Amino acid sequence: MTKAAFASIVLAAGKGTRMKSRLPKVLHAIAGRSMLGHVLSCLKTAGAMETVLVTAPDHEDVRAEALNHVPALRSAVQVRQLGTADAVKAARAEIASREAPVIVLYGDTPLLRSETIERVVAGTDNGTDIVVLGFDAADPTGYGRLLTDADGHIEAIREELEASPSERAVTLCNSGVIAFRSAALLDLLDDIGNDNAKGEYYLTDVIEIARSKGLASSVVECSEDEVMGVNSRAQLAQAEALMQHRLRLKVMAEGATLVSPETVYLSADTAIAEDVTIEPHVFIGPGVSIARDAVIRAFSHLEGAAVGERASIGPYARLRPGASLSEGCRVGNFVEIKNTRIEAGAKVNHLAYIGDARVGQGANVGAGTITCNYDGAAKHFTDIGDGAFVGSNSSLVAPVTIGPGAYVGSGSVITKDVDAGALAVTRSKQSQIDGWAARKKRAQSENASNNRGNKTAAGG
Ligand code: UD1
Ligand code: CA
């Protein structure tokens, strides 16, 4: 199927007061991506050719986030929140094409899928002027009801406060997603008034106005979950749970084994190749890719990291942004890696911090090794050469280079470069005192018996 070219208008000027947050509602994240980001990337996947975002006047941060996802985005400011029709009117002039379909949706419905957007837009193909995405609500309270005729055309959308008791019994509801066969049809919005219970300009009134002009509206349905709007923190958590479920199913369908899927947290952009195994209780933040046959063991935390083929991570490993692990390398328990390339077959197996560094091919970094990358002002680089061996509990004070094949003796504090193949040790030499333990014990027991004697004398 060739995708229809269409424009889109995303409404996000609402206050979102129930979130009790200084952050605008649509910037709250689900699976590591803002709700607005989900809606915009979905539009991109569906093939939207132009997108206009409607925000409140003071929402620069909302516009900035939107531009991260759609560089060609245009925005319109709705000065006062006078209703959904008013919001669309604020955006109308920014739509370049009068002929192509235009879809209106909300910035706070992060679970909407691109396939559904495509279905709604495609609904305008066969001469239908307006297509509304509807759903059958378990509890329709608060939603606009879709009132349909015998042919399945929509006669009107009735908002909760205007609905009669029999209309309130209708469970087919308006999701808020509405497509118009052409942007020219948005001129119908000029006829919408605000003589209603809320004193708002309801976009939903456009259906009756269109019908009075002989234009046809129809409904496309989707599941209630998909058009769930997020208005509170509890709903944010609910949307997160639904999204996590969806992402887990997706990575498993693509060939990953999740031993205990409900304990693994993924991000919207997580890329996992075939035959990757993820053990229980793993958190994967934004920007992570995991190549074939890698194993992520229990209780690991990853963000902004690339894991190579056959690599083994964890248990209890932390990969921070810029960690780039090549094939077959091993990062073990209680190891933190940041902004570091670990080359093929290298090992950092226990209790280490490696930041702003390169660990060469086949190198071995011992337990307790720390790259001292920060001097309180700036970050510095550590280079550990191919095949180098860093003994346990060493501090590598950056900037510093450990040459290929070099050894660092355990417990060293390395402040100067180590040449290829050399051994560097900085700890003081071990000395030995023969028979010291026995002499110490004898002295202790003599002390003790003297003390007892003193006590007896004092008590007598
Ligand atoms: C709206 C629909 C209702 C539908 C419901 C689905 C109308 C009149 N009603 O009701 O039929 O069942 O959504 O959730 O359209 N917004 C602006 N500017 C405004 C007002 C709203 O940008 O002046 C944005 C909000 O940020 C939000 C969206 O539009 O993203 C919906 O607004 P909201 O006030 O939540 O509409 P509802 O009353 O829930
Ligand atoms: Ca709402």
Side-chain angles (χ1 to χ4, degrees):
M1 178 179 100
T2 54
K3 287 179 186 174
F6 67 96
S8 59
I9 296 174
V10 179
L11 305 189
K15 293 214 169 43
T17 37
R18 277 181 286 162
M19 293 298 281
K20 303 263 169 60
S21 176
R22 279 166 298 172
L23 190 67
K25 178 167 79 173
V26 294
L27 297 188
H28 284 264
I30 282 168
R33 176 181 285 170
S34 68
M35 292 200 271
L36 180 60
H38 281 283
V39 172
L40 293 174
S41 60
C42 204
L43 278 170
K44 208 188 318 179
T45 308
M49 58 178 181
E50 52 176 332
T51 299
V52 180
L53 174 72
V54 182
T55 68
D58 54 344
H59 278 177
E60 273 82 29
D61 42 1
V62 175
R63 293 188 281 276
E65 164 66 0
L67 286 168
N68 286 337
H69 294 272
V70 182
L73 179 108
R74 282 192 298 282
S75 31
V77 170
Q78 188 189 20
V79 181
R80 286 182 300 148
Q81 274 69 75
L82 301 176
T84 45
D86 181 69
V88 174
K89 276 161 79 176
R92 196 167 54 175
E94 295 293 329
I95 300 284
S97 150
R98 292 279 288 172
E99 307 306 320
V102 56
I103 189 166
V104 175
L105 29 75
Y106 302 162
D108 62 356
T109 53
L111 297 165
L112 190 64
R113 293 178 311 130
S114 57
E115 297 90 309
T116 305
I117 292 178
E118 287 172 37
R119 273 200 299 138
V120 177
V121 173
T124 62
D125 274 355
N126 52 10
T128 308
D129 299 287
I130 303 177
V131 178
V132 177
L133 180 63
F135 64 99
D136 191 41
D139 173 7
T141 311
Y143 291 114
R145 311 296 204 279
L146 301 185
L147 310 179
T148 49
D149 66 17
D151 300 331
H153 288 115
I154 312 176
E155 291 176 327
I157 303 178
R158 195 74 75 229
E159 293 303 305
E160 173 89 10
L161 293 176
E162 274 75 35
S164 68
S166 67
E167 288 169 341
R168 283 187 194 185
V170 171
T171 58
L172 183 62
C173 291
N174 172 27
S175 68
V177 177
I178 302 182
F180 296 83
R181 190 169 43 76
S182 75
L185 287 173
L186 295 179
D187 291 348
L188 293 170
L189 272 49
D190 292 327
D191 292 349
I192 295 175
N194 66 349
D195 182 16
N196 54 48
K198 282 191 178 170
E200 283 187 6
Y201 296 88
Y202 290 164
L203 176 61
T204 44
D205 283 353
V206 77
I207 302 294
E208 276 178 290
I209 292 169
R211 194 173 170 88
S212 73
K213 301 198 165 166
L215 301 172
S217 305
S218 69
V219 58
V220 159
E221 285 188 57
C222 72
S223 77
E224 181 164 11
D225 282 354
E226 200 180 329
V227 286
M228 168 190 179
V230 172
N231 299 301
S232 64
R233 306 273 181 160
Q235 287 173 336
L236 186 71
Q238 205 183 332
E240 177 80 51
L242 290 164
M243 181 64 84
Q244 289 298 336
H245 181 66
R246 197 189 276 180
L247 292 171
R248 290 166 190 143
L249 290 177
K250 174 176 169 277
V251 299
M252 289 191 282
E254 289 169 359
T257 293
L258 305 189
V259 176
S260 175
E262 63 284 5
T263 69
V264 173
Y265 286 79
L266 302 163
S267 286
D269 64 354
T270 302
I272 302 183
E274 279 173 35
D275 291 317
V276 164
T277 298
I278 302 185
E279 291 184 355
H281 299 286
V282 168
F283 181 92
I284 299 180
V288 171
S289 65
I290 304 174
R292 284 183 93 104
D293 298 314
V295 179
I296 313 297
R297 302 188 61 198
F299 297 101
S300 293
H301 189 284
L302 292 72
E303 48 190 333
V307 176
E309 287 186 19
R310 297 185 320 286
S312 169
I313 309 303
Y316 296 99
R318 178 162 186 214
L319 302 184
R320 289 174 52 202
S324 165
L325 280 51
S326 308
E327 59 275 15
C329 68
R330 305 177 70 86
V331 168
N333 44 264
F334 306 107
V335 172
E336 174 179 344
I337 308 279
K338 185 213 78 172
N339 190 30
T340 290
R341 172 155 188 82
I342 304 212
E343 293 183 348
K347 295 179 191 155
V348 189
N349 270 335
H350 333 265
L351 300 151
Y353 170 60
I354 307 295
D356 303 312
R358 176 189 78 104
V359 178
Q361 216 172 326
N364 186 86
V365 176
T369 298
I370 304 289
T371 52
C372 308
N373 58 326
Y374 185 53
D375 59 13
K379 304 283 171 64
H380 301 282
F381 186 74
T382 301
D383 191 79
I384 299 174
D386 293 355
F389 184 98
V390 179
S392 297
N393 205 31
S394 294
S395 300
L396 309 177
V397 182
V400 75
T401 296
I402 313 295
Y407 278 70
V408 170
S410 300
S412 293
V413 176
I414 299 295
T415 54
K416 290 183 288 215
D417 290 355
V418 180
D419 290 340
L423 166 68
V425 204
T426 69
R427 59 177 189 252
S428 54
K429 279 219 161 55
Q430 185 168 334
S431 60
Q432 180 170 306
I433 305 171
D434 292 329
W436 182 89
R439 284 202 293 284
K440 166 105 177 152
K441 275 199 184 126
R442 215 176 305 129
Q444 276 171 339
S445 67
E446 276 166 18
N447 253 344
S449 65
N450 283 347
N451 283 345
R452 274 197 301 278
N454 288 345
K455 269 190 196 147
T456 321

